[in-house]
Amino acid sequence: MKPFLHRLTRAAVLLAAPLLAAPLLALSAHAGELTLFTDSNFEGQPLTLRGSAPDLDPLGFNDRASSVVVRSGTWQLCEHSEYRGRCMTVERGEYRSLSGFNDVISSVREVGGGGRDDRGGRDDRGGRWDRDDDRGYGHRREAIILFSKSRFNGARLELHNNEVRTLDRYDFNDVAGSVIVNEGRWELCEHADFGGRCIVLEPGRYEFLDDMNNRISSLRRVR
């Protein structure tokens, strides 16, 4: 009986081995990858990441990224270490320039669910950012998102504060090419301090801004 039991046990182990390995293979298959470049148009020194980098300084890449290629996954790029301050979310694709985030990125991490994995808190301008931490706290959606290109492409600027008198402070002046309004009614104007021509947007997705494209300099919530 002993030889038979030995053969039976060995057969069971061999059958179980592929099943045990399957989750590991699945995890590795879903690992994301992106490459940062010191210059726009994917030129200059590259840095390829396949995991989170809470501080790019030890890698010699703090405040140096000017373009990005995302080969897989969804990634969050933040202006301070430990994913603090303003953040932008990039998905698979090529980003030849980082309007509003050029040479300011200090930490990078792969996130799920479209990038809603920020630690929350306030940046140095008092803006409130999403959080979804390991204690199970929910996140609050950004009220309005500006994109540097049409169809929600390019760099993005997420805002919770009810007014921005000049987008210069975010390096996003005359940059916006599309907008998502998640809550409230917003007035977007072509000059600082809500001057010049303005448009009012209700909650919705605006793939194009027509004759206001690349002309927005200030915005405020009007309801």
Side-chain angles (χ1 to χ4, degrees), residues 154 166 182:
T166 173
N182 285 319

Side-chain angles (χ1 to χ4, degrees), residues 109-126:
R109 63 175 167 181
E110 187 179 8
V111 295
R116 300 186 182 282
D117 192 31
D118 191 28
R119 288 179 178 247
R122 298 184 179 274
D123 66 9
D124 55 7
R125 283 175 290 271

